[in-house]
Amino acid sequence: MGKRYFLMSEERDWTTHREAKANKLSAISNLIDGKFARTTDAKTVLEGLIAPGDKVVLEGDNQKQATFLSKMLASVDPAKVHYLHMIMSSISRPEHLDIFEDGIASKMDFSFAGPQSTRVSQMIADGTLQVGDIHTYLELYARLYVDLIPNVVLVAADKVDHEGNLYTGYNTEETPVIVESAAFHDGIVIVQANEVVDKLPRVDIPADWVDVIIPADEPYQLEPLFTRDPQNITELQILMAMMAIRGIYEKHNVQSVNHGVGFNTAAIELLLPTYGERLGLKGKIVPNWEVNPTPTLIPAIESGWIQSIHSFGGEVGMEKYIAARPDVFFVGKDGTMRSNRAFGQMAGQYALDMFVGSTLQIDQYGNSSTVTKGRLSGFGGAPNMGSNPTGRRHSTPAWQSLRPDNDPLGKGQKLVVQMVETFGSNKRPVFVDSLDAVEVRKEAKLQNVPIMIYSEDTTHIVTEEGIAYLYKTDSMAERQAAIEAIAGVTPVGLRSDPAVVKDLRARGIVAFPEDLGVNRNEATRSLLAARNMEDLVKWSKGLYNPPDKFRSWS
Amino acid sequence: MGKRYFLMSEERDWTTHREAKANKLSAISNLIDGKFARTTDAKTVLEGLIAPGDKVVLEGDNQKQATFLSKMLASVDPAKVHYLHMIMSSISRPEHLDIFEDGIASKMDFSFAGPQSTRVSQMIADGTLQVGDIHTYLELYARLYVDLIPNVVLVAADKVDHEGNLYTGYNTEETPVIVESAAFHDGIVIVQANEVVDKLPRVDIPADWVDVIIPADEPYQLEPLFTRDPQNITELQILMAMMAIRGIYEKHNVQSVNHGVGFNTAAIELLLPTYGERLGLKGKIVPNWEVNPTPTLIPAIESGWIQSIHSFGGEVGMEKYIAARPDVFFVGKDGTMRSNRAFGQMAGQYALDMFVGSTLQIDQYGNSSTVTKGRLSGFGGAPNMGSNPTGRRHSTPAWQSLRPDNDPLGKGQKLVVQMVETFGSNKRPVFVDSLDAVEVRKEAKLQNVPIMIYSEDTTHIVTEEGIAYLYKTDSMAERQAAIEAIAGVTPVGLRSDPAVVKDLRARGIVAFPEDLGVNRNEATRSLLAARNMEDLVKWSKGLYNPPDKFRSWS
């Protein structure tokens, strides 16, 4: 039988991607000197390098945005460039959606759409935007190597040298994982550069991986997403932070952690050097962090609580402080930080004891989502870090402390903590019978309900009322009762039965502040190691340089 | 209260890692020219750069081994270098364990110990080897950024240029993820190089990330781990492959897949262009693969079944073939492949519809392990790819086909398939009441039973008897009955009740060949697209160049 098969593929061309790339580059060769194109030729270059129907990755996560290239993409002639399949971590800027209204792009696979979530919802309803799917960051990166291999990637670098090597500085973020997927599959790598220099501080991405560099008209957009002004931390948040420290961090002997963005976790960070110190926890808990360089961590770092911080990205204003603390942060030989969003998410999923996040809604079963009516905000990294990776095999005391007693083949579990006040800043109940996401699924015709963190992955919920230790419940009814017990005067909480709550507290499934030895009267702002931005700057010995919008004192 | 806190850290030194590194490099500066040390100075260089108690990553996965550096490490003076905490993907070579007997190293965190698994067990029992823990690859990499940040890493490159840039060629594998963890936390990056050249084919790792390069006395060891000679594929394996294609690949519309190493999956690969073609499945199933460049995939590639293959590593003998098929494989501008074990595992976990593996034991509940009495073989990548990542949010038809019907908040699931013959090559039953791993846990004092893939993650088991669709079962008793139904004449299988089996078949929970339209008589070796290595070479048009040990025909 052999011969028949051996002859089947005689005629096939196995280098179609390479040829397409060569043809595109050849068509614009008059605009390219070495790897460099002129800023003013950007639109023409993109029109030459992007073909109709191409899969295009546009760098833009929740911090760093390839702003120049996104604007230039929005300026191309839709008669030349259309039907693009966009792949983007974050839909953050107006032109990210303009390209759909203008007929340049038609399909989108994305992860996060915070700033544009209302418009995303509307455009899906209109049929202007066809969503492939909504992802966590890591699974979106993963698909770049499997079924979403890009034809073109558009990324941002701080500095480039004349050979085309890239320096990405503090905000390396997702640039390497995007570039590699194209550079090694005959995709085209197009880079916008803030600056062209003779000698880079260091090489973050080799010139061999890059095809075209365009000096940008202005530096790429960078958001101080992880900066929280301590003056906005409330006493309820301080109470919750005290409970979390005693009832979770101390109880489970947590060593490694990711904190989501928010005032709840900022409060914890600012209580470590005060309340935590008094409890004798220094040197015993949370030495290792996977988190962006959050300014509210400065007092804990300065007080010697923290051994290491690996980061997904940088944080505006923290540059000098990070450079002066290389024992803690990941800093190169050149003295500047290297972040890495892909490796950070990998670490956040597999190497951490605990994820602590917040959300907009939690249903009566413990499922939570930030997707609310009319706002398809996407997922970001939370579902990845806020899930229990069942492929994990190494044990730590915190992980092992959640091992079920009654299963000889059992194993530990990641701590996944949701911290919420029972009513949100919009005065609406966080605890609801049914998530808005159920309705959004129907409107946006999604395959599944866009749940951020599933009940089965959620091990603890903290509110101003107390802590529900969901991992200890052995039925959905008990889980619901534990949630009701800490859901305050929300409709869910009002169903709570005092006799049941008494039993749950006795069995350690629910804890109120007094059960944890937390004195409500102590929960005042005087307990914060820093009460405002100026305090953070002082703690940093002047190394932290907050962005202007956070500077109220001078 | 402020002032007291602000003064606490005045005296702290925040650059201890950087200073330690500078001191070490300074102590051997007389042996270094640029970044280069002489081959003959390797032992002295290692003695100078590795301090007692250091965390040391030694590159050595299941294919590529930093052989020269591992031998040199085993030759250092234990009076100078001791108490090392080794971090290794794979314990593959005798000297990897010699260093523990010789007092150079004391603690080990690892992932895979195939070739040395018996000795690992003995040394743990002796107390010679203290195991931190056993990991999957990805979680071990993850910890390099959190709580196992290395002081020194020892890695292997194919070629280096005079500036110290690295070319890792086809076997990039885990080198980048290891190097980055040290290079950006004031760790020391030491590279053994096969060759020093004026101009690299391409830069895989920039010179800025590298501290010391030592030309090796011989090229690093490289194992053809993924090569399976088709002549050893049995008709039972062909029958199982036919069932898998009909009952899983076709039924679930599987688009992306990882195959473990073995003859079962090799049989599937070799049936795609014959049996699969006849079923009309070409162009409908498995276009996208995350798998090493397995030679038994050549006929499927040549027949046009496969659109893309991303790989963890290379495969000896496949170099020319890969270079000639850049539309399929990940190949750089220079024309040679780039692999990436970290990104491959990321893709394997998050982007694939299905993992198909094999194992040595499956217990009555569906838990499986390759750890057997006296052999602590570790995990490798299987638990990562063979688990259901609960952080996944994107949907594919295969994933969604496992969505439970009765849960409005339900979602899909990864297909995790175990393919085993009911009796292993050692004539022992694969299906057992209790895994040997339960005993090994006690002997090795592990925190948990070393299970490779848990029952809860396993969706299908295929044997020569049939397929158990475990994801359809709704109780552990039903799951056990489904496993018994396909466990043949093993003790587990002998418990099977014919009346129950009839019911399970009627409900689609168990399928025998006839239920799937698979004709047992057709399961002959003539159905294989290639029956031996020579056939594979012919299919490749002479581009595949098998290693000598696989060359029986000339």
Side-chain angles (χ1 to χ4, degrees), chain B residues 35-61:
Chain B
K35 293 178 190 288
F36 286 82
R38 281 188 298 270
T39 309
T40 48
D41 288 334
K43 172 177 170 287
T44 318
V45 166
L46 293 187
E47 287 173 347
L49 295 181
I50 307 179
D54 272 358
K55 290 191 186 71
V56 178
V57 183
L58 173 58
E59 182 169 21
D61 55 43

Side-chain angles (χ1 to χ4, degrees), chain A residues 134-148 342 345-350 379-390 414 452 457, chain B residues 138 256-258 290 312 342-355 381 383-396 399 411 413-414:
Chain A
I134 315 176
H135 307 71
T136 61
Y137 290 133
L138 203 59
E139 68 182 307
L140 190 66
Y141 305 150
R143 292 186 70 189
L144 299 180
Y145 295 85
V146 178
D147 60 347
L148 289 179
Q345 289 288 338
M346 172 184 81
Q349 183 193 36
Y350 258 133
F379 295 121
N384 173 59
M385 293 189 285
S387 64
N388 183 43
T390 61
K414 180 191 276 182
M452 178 73 85
D457 284 319
Chain B
L138 203 59
S256 52
V257 66
N258 168 263
E290 175 65 54
F312 315 97
F343 288 171
Q345 289 288 337
M346 172 184 81
Q349 183 194 35
Y350 258 133
L352 298 187
D353 283 342
M354 180 164 73
F355 165 80
N384 173 59
M385 292 188 285
S387 65
N388 184 42
T390 61
R392 173 169 168 170
R393 294 291 178 272
H394 79 279
S395 177
T396 56
W399 185 81
K411 59 182 155 83
Q413 187 176 352
K414 181 191 275 182

Side-chain angles (χ1 to χ4, degrees), chain A residues 407-429:
Chain A
D407 181 358
L409 300 183
K411 58 181 156 74
Q413 186 175 352
K414 180 191 276 182
L415 281 81
V416 174
V417 180
Q418 289 282 27
M419 280 184 85
V420 292
E421 292 175 57
T422 53
F423 282 78
S425 55
N426 55 7
K427 311 292 183 201
R428 290 200 189 140

Side-chain angles (χ1 to χ4, degrees), chain A residues 16 139 203 208 327 394 531, chain B residues 1 16 139 203 208 327 394:
Chain A
T16 60
E139 68 182 307
V203 176
D208 288 343
D327 277 0
H394 80 278
R531 292 176 221 166
Chain B
M1 50 131 261
T16 60
E139 67 181 305
V203 175
D208 288 342
D327 276 0
H394 79 279

